[in-house]
Each structure stands twice: as C-alpha cells, then as structure tokens.
Amino acid sequence: MVSDSDGGNEMVKFGACHLRRLDSRMKRHTAPAIRADAETSSFTSLFAAVAYGFASMAMVFINKAVLMQYAYSMTLLTLQQLATSLLIHAGRRMGFTKARGLEMATAKRLLPLSIFYNANVAFALASLKGVNIPMYIAIKRLTPLAVLIAGYFSGKGRPTYQVALSVILIAAGVLIAALGDFSFDLFGYSMAFVSVFFQTMYLVLVERSGAEDGLSSLEIMFYNSFLSLPFLMFLIIATGEFPKSLSLLFAQSYSFSFLMILILSLVMGIVLNFTMFLCTIVNSALTTTIVGVLKGVVSTTLGFFLLGGVQVHALNVSGLVINTAGGVWYSFAKYQQKKSKSTKLVPDEEAHRK
C-alpha cells in the first residue's frame, strides 16, 4: 500500500518502466520539460481517477439490475472474466495492443492478485443480492480505513495527520449512515465486510505488481482475468450454480432487455477492471479507494430512488454529509502534498546542473 507520508507522489507511480524513462528524461531535459512532465502526469492521474469513478458507479447499478433477474453471481463473474480474457487476447493477436503474451513466471507472481480480486468481487456480488445499493456502498466505503491500516503494518510508514483524519471522518460518516438502515440483512452485511477485506489486499497487490514487474494496466488485467477462470469454474460447480445457471441464462437470452443489460455488464466489467488497475498504478491504492468513496456519494443518492430504492432517514443524510466533508478534506490534503512535491523537482534538477 502507498505510504501517504511520501507526500502524494502520484507523479512517480507509473510503474517501473515509466519511472526509468522519467528519470532518464530528468537528466537530459531542461526545467520547462520537467514542468511539462509534471503537468502530463497530473492530467493522467486525474483522467484515471475520473474514469474509474464513473465506471465503478455504473457497474454497481448494472450488476444490481442483472442480479435482480439472474441470481447466479458466480456465473456472472465468470462470464465477465472470460469476455475480458478473450477480448485482450484477440486484440493482441490482431495487433491492436502491444501487451505481452502469457509468461509462466509472471503468472505465478500475479496468482495471489487474481485470487484476492475474484474473492472481493464474488463476495461483493453476493452481498448485492441481500443489501440495497446505499447500504452496500456505505459498507464498502470502509475500505480506505483498511487501506491505511494495511499500509502502516506493511512498513510503508504513517500517513500525514490530515490524510489520516480525513479518512477517519469518511469512515465515521459511513457508520452513521449505516445506522439508518432498518432492513438489516446479516448474510448481506457479512458478505460486504468480507469483500472489504479482500479488496484491501487486492489493491495492495495491484500496486506492487505494477511497480515491481513493470506490467501495463492491460497486461495485469489479462493475467487477472485469465488466472481467475479455473478458480471460478470450480466455484460455480462447487456451489451448485452449474448447470442451472446456464439453463436460466439461455432462457433469459430471449428477453431483449435482459440481453442488453448482460452485454453492458460484460463490457463495463472490462472497463472497470482497466480503469481500476490504471488508477491504482498511476495514483495510489488509497487514492483509488477514495475515488470510490466520492463516487459512492452519487451512487448512494441515486440508490435511494433506483432499483427498488430505500426509505430516506435522517441518519443516512447526516452520514453522507460527513462522508463528503471527509472526501473533500482528503482531496485538499493530497493536492497540497502533490503541489509541494512538484515544486521541488525543478530546484533539485537545477542543483544537479550546477
């Protein structure tokens, strides 16, 4: 996990390959070129964060809509991962992408990442079957706190006080909002909390694999989806989803509306995977989770009215206000850290020239 005491170093988190190229440019180019690199990095970071936020928000509603008509969540996840693997492989074979092919040594290193990812998504989908969207998002918003704790115990150092307090404020808002849920579902809540744990471990491994192995977002996504297929095939058989899930899938395929939602789910699954990997590598794991928290505010508001909706309660509104305040505070703290980091690059480079 990224240490927030490093001062918002999103600009140098492009993976090992990009970092080597950046260091090479800093030694050859002038100060204006360094400023241009910083601006490009900032734009890339912003684009990755916004893209991930939009895809993540859309995916919650799309999956909920599919599961309301098709309750086999493991089979749905298997179809999403299969579509991802086939699309990336076809793109590589046709020359549309320069992603490298399968390498066994890399696959072994990324196998834990795939396990944690699919455990995260599987438990999240299971929780969506029993928990409404606002409460599902509220529980998932506890991930940033878990990210900070994991980063501290993994030796990444302590976060700054502003970052730590803002994340605690976000978590407090989540808990207050959750108190307003009177349609308590023990199974759904349990699945969501387990998903938070696996998502935290997953984000740690994504960031480390991008930095240590020099893999692109597309390559990590291919390995993740490909390695998950045997694991998911075993699960759909062990849980009894197969062959009932396939029979229902063929029966539902005659419904045009269901078919469109299913195809959209498969496409958005690919988009979400790519933007999540990109955002985590370009920024940090904590930034990725915070983006998820902020998009959750919009998702929660829509969730009160869409796909069944929930009863509005004062605790929900109060919790969302506190949560939003914490998100704004965090964004300001990270901006100040990044600005301070960028302004130090040029003086350091000029000192090397003297």
Side-chain angles (χ1 to χ4, degrees):
M1 194 55 49
V2 161
S3 169
D4 287 278
S5 61
D6 292 339
N9 53 352
E10 287 88 347
M11 196 184 80
V12 295
K13 293 184 183 294
F14 277 72
C17 291
H18 184 85
L19 183 57
R20 287 193 293 268
R21 293 195 298 268
L22 179 59
D23 289 338
S24 175
R25 287 198 300 266
M26 288 179 65
K27 293 178 181 179
R28 296 196 308 264
H29 293 288
T30 61
I34 297 173
R35 294 191 186 96
D37 286 341
E39 292 175 358
T40 301
S41 300
S42 299
F43 174 78
T44 304
S45 300
L46 178 62
F47 171 79
V50 172
Y52 165 65
F54 175 79
S56 181
M57 180 177 63
M59 196 62 186
V60 173
F61 288 93
I62 293 172
N63 278 336
K64 180 70 173 180
V66 174
L67 291 173
M68 289 176 67
Q69 303 180 56
Y70 186 78
Y72 297 107
S73 57
M74 294 293 181
T75 304
L76 175 61
L77 178 57
T78 304
L79 291 174
Q80 291 174 345
Q81 295 295 64
L82 179 61
T84 301
S85 301
L86 293 177
L87 182 61
I88 296 177
H89 177 71
R92 186 177 64 84
R93 298 285 294 181
M94 297 174 65
F96 292 117
T97 175
K98 296 181 180 179
R100 292 171 289 181
L102 185 67
E103 299 175 357
M104 291 305 300
T106 304
K108 290 180 180 179
R109 289 196 298 268
L110 295 181
L111 181 59
L113 183 151
S114 179
I115 294 175
F116 282 120
Y117 170 83
N118 288 281
N120 163 42
V121 178
F123 281 105
L125 288 175
S127 69
L128 268 177
K129 292 189 291 185
V131 179
N132 59 63
I133 290 179
M135 291 304 102
Y136 163 81
I137 296 172
I139 297 174
K140 293 289 285 183
R141 285 191 194 126
L142 294 175
T143 304
L145 183 59
V147 168
L148 280 181
I149 296 174
Y152 176 76
F153 284 104
S154 64
K156 293 293 185 177
R158 295 183 178 180
T160 64
Y161 285 109
Q162 287 202 52
V163 169
L165 290 176
S166 64
V167 173
I168 291 175
L169 188 63
I170 289 173
V174 170
L175 294 176
I176 294 174
L179 291 176
D181 181 23
F182 296 105
S183 58
F184 183 80
D185 186 300
L186 180 60
F187 176 80
Y189 269 64
S190 300
M191 294 298 98
F193 279 117
V194 174
S195 176
V196 168
F197 167 77
F198 282 114
Q199 184 180 8
T200 301
M201 302 307 299
Y202 157 73
L203 288 170
V204 172
L205 291 175
V206 169
E207 187 174 1
R208 288 183 176 178
S209 64
E212 295 174 2
D213 301 333
L215 297 173
S216 67
S217 302
L218 201 62
E219 289 168 340
I220 297 177
M221 186 168 64
F222 172 74
Y223 277 103
N224 177 66
S225 58
F226 178 79
L227 293 173
S228 71
L229 292 177
F231 172 69
L232 291 174
M233 291 297 294
F234 169 78
L235 283 181
I236 63 176
I237 295 175
T239 57
E241 286 196 7
F242 181 85
K244 295 179 181 179
S245 59
L246 291 183
S247 299
L248 180 59
L249 181 63
F250 287 129
Q252 290 279 55
S253 63
Y254 290 99
S255 171
F256 179 77
S257 60
F258 172 79
L259 194 59
M260 290 298 98
I261 295 176
L262 179 62
I263 294 175
L264 185 59
S265 173
L266 298 179
V267 173
M268 287 304 299
I270 298 173
V271 174
L272 177 59
N273 284 345
F274 178 78
T275 56
M276 179 180 289
F277 282 121
L278 180 63
C279 186
T280 304
I281 293 175
V282 172
N283 295 292
S284 71
L286 182 59
T287 299
T288 302
T289 56
I290 291 294
V291 171
V293 168
L294 295 179
K295 65 87 186 174
V297 174
V298 179
S299 300
T300 300
T301 303
L302 294 176
F304 280 116
F305 310 101
L306 301 178
L307 300 178
V310 294
Q311 183 178 0
V312 178
H313 192 278
L315 287 176
N316 292 115
V317 178
S318 300
L320 289 176
V321 171
I322 295 174
N323 176 272
T324 303
V328 173
W329 186 7
Y330 169 83
S331 300
F332 177 77
K334 295 294 287 186
Y335 172 77
Q336 291 294 330
Q337 291 176 348
K338 189 169 185 178
K339 183 178 180 181
S340 175
K341 182 74 174 180
S342 299
T343 55
K344 290 179 180 179
L345 286 176
V346 174
D348 289 343
E349 176 65 16
E350 291 176 347
H352 278 294
R353 295 178 178 277
K354 292 181 180 179

